[in-house]
Amino acid sequence: MNSENQDNPDGENPDGENPDSNLQISSQAVEDDSAIVLAEPVESPEAASSLRPRPLGAGDYLSWAVVILITLFIAVETAMGQFGEHEPRETTAADLMQINLQSKVLVGQRVVAELLEQEEAARDDAKDLPAEDAVSEKNAAAETKGETAAETTAEPEALDAGTYEQRLCYAILLSELHGPQRAVDYFETLDQKVADAKFEPNETQRSLRSSIDALLADYAAGDFSQNSISDSEKAELEKRLGFSGELILTPKGADDQAGRKWVEQVAQNKIYAAGVILIFGILFFMAGIVAACTILGVVFSDSSPIRFVPKNQVGGIYLQTFAIWLFGFFGIQLALPSVIEALGLEVDARFGIYFNFVVFFLSLSALVWPIIRGRSWGEVCHDIGWTGESFFRNVGVGIATYAAWLPMVLIGIFSVFILMLLFPMSTEVGEFELPASPSHPIQHLMSSGDSTIWIGVFLAACVAAPIVEETMFRGVLYRHLRERSIHWNRVISVTVAAIVNGVIFAAIHPQGVLAIPLLTTLAVGFTLAREWRGSLVSSITMHAINNSMVTAMMFFLM
């Protein structure tokens, strides 16, 4: 920087005037590629649009190469793991989530239907009817009850798929809906499938099957004492099969009536919760469409009070910062397993979760680079949106914007389902193999039920990830993209910068390529909040709400 800037680090000129009030751009640049290109600050999008970014230097091209290569590497590696051949792994509670949820819904439907029938019977008993009419009504009620039971206990054949543990859960559901003999009959069919597929159940699977066989035989004989299996085998059923394991241990007529009532209450609550979620989802969707149109109008309107203005031309500093962060953050995670193996250390899932939490925040040390290149800490904070101005208002804007963006998120979810139908992840799935899906590996960690892992997941997903990812994507990378396109039409500049930012954000996540439309949609919503408010507080709030809702849903389902 020139001597005038060095003598005035606070940005004031010798006459005491504040250059922030000057809307005219005057070059204060040094000529070589490694220098920072500075311009006096501008105060409005109109003034900013007259800026012309300097040509990219060698360091900038190298930074883009690093970003693109790392992004492609992560996306391709994830895709190969999902679409290519993969080694069989142990089934977790996350893999059984769908069938256990379906079991809760079906059991809950039957419980609710029985409650309604009891209320109707109580009302009939309260009527003062002649004896013949009472008998006639009871017969009609019995017929209706039989029809209702038949409707609510139809066999869910679509659930007869997946791993061996999933088939065991399906057999337990059949026992619950149609009695133990129906499950025994199903096991004969299952054994034939096992033989045809030349599948060899492992020791744990054989143990689970043996326990279930013993319980079904007892229940069919009217014996609910469960003395035929040990306490450790009961615990194994609950641990491995989740709700289905609890269901087989608390059948109708079981000695443990308290346990039976608890299982029925869990299933019943799922029905009520589904109804509440559906109602609120419809209301949010309708309100969100109106709010989304309003917010988009605000962001893209020329007369809108947009607070994001790239006030200084800083060249490729923030692109370089992002490349350094991306290389360091993922480099550490990729190198960690090799380092642990070389040192001969034995670590568990808890170490990985909490280590990842620490690495998230340590990766913010990449923000030292702009300071090395000549920016002050205050300028860096302003450039990337680390501002506390109107903090609570920006939090409120983040909440409102997330609600408004939900309709677009639903479209993203729908697109994922369409892509899954068009491009199945596994071309050849064995009879007892799990098909791949665009899921996050963290689901399998959560399935352990370990409270320390749950806490670690919450800290990493709902605290560290929103702060760090928003800082680097919507703060650092978006700042560079908007500066490079600031002389374009504002709608085009914001749209291109938001989409490029969003695609890179989506591609480096482990959900895989099929989830890119959904994650890009989310990222664009976060970006619009950043553009609107000029602060990361709103986008961090949106990101935290989204991750908290997903994490809470995982807890709820598991």
Side-chain angles (χ1 to χ4, degrees):
M1 291 185 286
N2 59 24
S3 60
E4 181 182 349
N5 283 340
Q6 292 173 347
D7 294 336
N8 297 279
D10 295 328
E12 295 183 358
N13 61 28
D15 298 327
E17 295 178 355
N18 188 342
D20 286 356
S21 63
N22 191 348
L23 302 187
Q24 301 300 319
I25 302 168
S26 61
S27 175
Q28 302 172 347
V30 187
E31 298 299 331
D32 62 352
D33 286 341
S34 64
I36 305 169
V37 176
L38 296 177
E40 290 196 16
V42 294
E43 292 296 328
S44 68
E46 291 78 10
S49 64
S50 64
L51 296 173
R52 288 296 183 271
R54 68 163 180 148
L56 293 175
D60 304 328
Y61 284 114
L62 177 61
S63 297
W64 267 122
V66 169
V67 171
I68 293 171
L69 289 175
I70 292 177
T71 302
L72 288 176
F73 173 78
I74 295 172
V76 170
E77 183 183 46
T78 304
M80 290 178 63
Q82 292 177 330
F83 288 89
E85 296 182 2
H86 50 86
E87 293 294 326
R89 57 173 174 79
E90 185 176 349
T91 303
T92 67
D95 301 321
L96 302 178
M97 186 170 60
Q98 180 181 357
I99 190 167
N100 278 330
L101 181 61
Q102 290 282 353
S103 297
K104 291 175 185 177
V105 170
L106 291 172
V107 173
Q109 284 178 341
R110 193 173 67 175
V111 171
V112 171
E114 290 174 352
L115 290 174
L116 294 175
E117 290 168 1
Q118 291 173 7
E119 291 178 2
E120 185 177 355
R123 287 196 299 270
D124 292 342
D125 291 341
K127 295 179 182 178
D128 187 14
L129 297 175
E132 293 181 0
D133 292 343
V135 171
S136 177
E137 277 205 17
K138 286 184 178 181
N139 290 337
E143 292 178 2
T144 302
K145 182 176 180 180
E147 293 174 0
T148 303
E151 292 173 357
T152 58
T153 59
E155 290 190 13
E157 296 181 359
L159 298 179
D160 182 16
T163 65
Y164 193 79
E165 285 86 351
Q166 287 176 306
R167 311 301 179 98
L168 297 180
C169 291
Y170 180 68
I172 292 171
L173 181 59
L174 291 179
S175 175
E176 172 68 21
L177 298 178
H178 301 286
Q181 187 57 47
R182 178 65 189 89
V184 171
D185 295 340
Y186 169 75
F187 273 145
E188 294 180 1
T189 303
L190 179 62
D191 290 339
Q192 185 59 50
K193 290 181 179 180
V194 168
D196 293 341
K198 298 180 180 179
F199 176 76
E200 184 65 32
N202 60 37
E203 184 178 350
T204 300
Q205 292 168 336
R206 290 195 298 270
S207 175
L208 292 171
R209 170 66 184 275
S210 176
S211 298
I212 295 172
D213 282 338
L215 291 173
L216 291 176
D218 290 346
Y219 297 161
D223 179 8
F224 296 97
S225 65
Q226 300 178 355
N227 292 329
S228 57
I229 64 173
S230 65
D231 290 340
S232 62
E233 289 173 323
K234 295 176 185 177
E236 188 73 6
L237 283 170
E238 292 181 339
K239 177 183 177 181
R240 297 287 181 179
L241 303 183
F243 178 78
S244 295
E246 296 168 355
L247 194 61
I248 191 65
L249 294 172
T250 55
K252 277 194 169 184
D255 297 337
D256 183 10
Q257 284 301 304
R260 176 65 191 185
K261 288 181 180 179
W262 183 84
V263 168
E264 290 183 346
Q265 189 63 51
V266 168
Q268 186 179 341
N269 290 342
K270 281 292 184 290
I271 296 295
Y272 296 149
V276 171
I277 291 173
L278 178 62
I279 293 172
F280 275 96
I282 293 173
L283 294 176
F284 262 91
F285 185 82
M286 295 173 63
I289 291 177
V290 176
C293 293
T294 303
I295 291 173
L296 287 173
V298 168
V299 172
F300 290 121
S301 172
D302 289 335
S303 60
S304 66
I306 294 298
R307 294 178 177 271
F308 178 83
V309 180
K311 293 186 177 183
N312 291 291
Q313 288 285 289
V314 296
I317 292 176
Y318 290 115
L319 171 61
Q320 296 161 18
T321 303
F322 182 78
I324 291 170
W325 173 80
L326 195 65
F327 180 83
F329 183 75
F330 287 99
I332 290 174
Q333 297 195 54
L334 290 173
L336 181 63
S338 300
V339 172
I340 291 175
E341 183 178 355
L343 296 176
L345 301 177
E346 293 184 4
V347 297
D348 58 11
R350 285 183 291 271
F351 172 83
I353 288 290
Y354 286 97
F355 180 83
N356 194 49
F357 174 77
V358 173
V359 169
F360 257 119
F361 285 107
L362 286 178
S363 70
L364 290 178
S365 60
L367 294 176
V368 172
W369 182 249
I371 298 174
I372 294 174
R373 294 295 307 276
R375 302 294 284 168
S376 70
W377 177 244
E379 289 172 328
V380 172
C381 290
H382 182 274
D383 290 343
I384 68 174
W386 270 14
T387 59
E389 182 183 356
S390 304
F391 178 84
F392 292 105
R393 183 177 181 181
N394 285 331
V395 170
V397 168
I399 296 172
T401 306
Y402 183 78
W405 202 245
L406 280 179
M408 299 299 295
V409 174
L410 293 178
I411 294 175
I413 293 173
F414 180 73
S415 68
V416 171
F417 287 123
I418 296 298
L419 290 174
M420 288 179 66
L421 292 175
L422 295 176
F423 306 100
M425 283 187 164
S426 236
T427 53
E428 294 183 6
V429 179
E431 177 68 34
F432 296 98
E433 291 183 7
L434 264 175
S437 62
S439 60
H440 199 293
I442 213 167
Q443 295 177 5
H444 301 290
L445 294 175
M446 293 170 59
S447 66
S448 68
D450 189 314
S451 59
T452 58
I453 288 182
W454 288 1
I455 293 171
V457 167
F458 174 81
L459 291 174
C462 307
V463 178
I467 294 174
V468 177
E469 291 181 355
E470 290 309 303
T471 296
M472 302 313 299
F473 282 94
R474 260 59 68 183
V476 173
L477 180 59
Y478 184 68
R479 172 63 170 76
H480 171 77
L481 293 171
R482 281 286 277 126
E483 179 184 316
R484 295 298 304 174
S485 60
I486 194 65
H487 59 291
W488 299 355
N489 174 277
R490 189 163 124 236
V491 173
I492 297 176
S493 174
V494 172
T495 302
V496 171
I499 291 176
V500 171
N501 177 288
V503 169
I504 295 174
F505 171 83
I508 66 171
H509 277 69
Q511 286 90 329
V513 292
L514 298 187
I516 285 180
L518 171 59
L519 295 176
T520 300
T521 302
L522 280 169
V524 169
F526 302 158
T527 304
L528 293 180
R530 157 76 164 123
E531 174 74 22
W532 179 13
R533 302 303 300 167
S535 168
L536 288 179
V537 173
S538 296
S539 64
I540 289 174
T541 301
M542 292 178 68
H543 200 150
I545 291 173
N546 180 77
N547 286 11
S548 297
M549 289 179 60
V550 173
T551 304
M553 183 64 71
M554 294 301 302
F555 288 148
F556 178 73
L557 295 178
M558 290 186 183

